[in-house]
Amino acid sequence: MNNICEKAVLYAAGGWPADEKAAFEMHLKTCASCRAEVALLNKTQEALNPPAAPSAVVENLFAKTTRKKAPFWAVWKTALAGTAVLGVGIVFLLAALHPDRSAFDATEVVAYMSEHLDEDYQNFSSDLELFEEDF
């Protein structure tokens, strides 16, 4: 075995410039031990590379792990619908709690004013006199 036979590992790794590679390939034609060593190194490298997965397995895995981005409205439609229902509920609740201002009939208002008009006028008159005395 000569000095060039020791470089079989470098040749199998593929790290040589073109001129040295050509020279070693010429040596391989004449040296059976180097051919055997390079063949063993190539088989070892092939054994270390994992085999490719079947395309059906890859596609199935890709389909399970790939998520498409949902549109904005699809993500938020439940929250928006809930908010709308809550808003309508609040409006109805406030309407139920708010006193009805049309509960007084116009005749009732006129009757109340005519009953209490003299009393209200007297109170106003006395308040006005007290106010004028202060000034």
Side-chain angles (χ1 to χ4, degrees), residues 68-75:
K68 295 178 182 174
K69 187 175 180 179
F72 174 79
W73 65 269
V75 174

Side-chain angles (χ1 to χ4, degrees), residues 73-116:
W73 65 269
V75 174
W76 291 96
K77 70 180 175 183
T78 304
L80 293 174
T83 304
V85 169
L86 181 65
V88 169
I90 289 172
V91 167
F92 280 118
L93 178 67
L94 291 175
L97 295 177
H98 187 49
D100 188 13
R101 295 195 186 265
S102 64
F104 292 110
D105 189 15
T107 56
E108 293 176 354
V109 172
V110 170
Y112 175 82
M113 288 177 66
S114 56
E115 288 177 12
H116 299 289

Side-chain angles (χ1 to χ4, degrees), residues 17-131:
D19 57 341
E20 290 183 34
K21 183 178 177 181
F24 189 77
E25 288 173 351
M26 292 297 291
H27 171 74
L28 281 177
K29 292 179 182 178
T30 60
C31 183
S33 66
C34 284
R35 279 195 306 269
E37 188 172 352
V38 169
L40 177 67
L41 289 170
N42 287 338
K43 285 183 183 179
T44 304
Q45 185 62 35
E46 288 174 11
L48 292 176
N49 291 335
S55 63
V57 172
V58 172
E59 289 175 12
N60 189 18
L61 182 64
F62 185 72
K64 288 181 180 179
T65 58
T66 302
R67 294 183 182 157
K68 295 178 182 174
K69 187 175 180 179
F72 174 79
W73 65 269
V75 174
W76 291 96
K77 70 180 175 183
T78 304
L80 293 174
T83 304
V85 169
L86 181 65
V88 169
I90 289 172
V91 167
F92 280 118
L93 178 67
L94 291 175
L97 295 177
H98 187 49
D100 188 13
R101 295 195 186 265
S102 64
F104 292 110
D105 189 15
T107 56
E108 293 176 354
V109 172
V110 170
Y112 175 82
M113 288 177 66
S114 56
E115 288 177 12
H116 299 289
L117 183 62
D118 291 333
E119 181 183 327
D120 289 341
Y121 178 73
Q122 292 299 327
N123 289 338
F124 176 75
S125 177
S126 65
D127 289 344
L128 184 60
E129 288 175 5
L130 290 173
F131 181 74

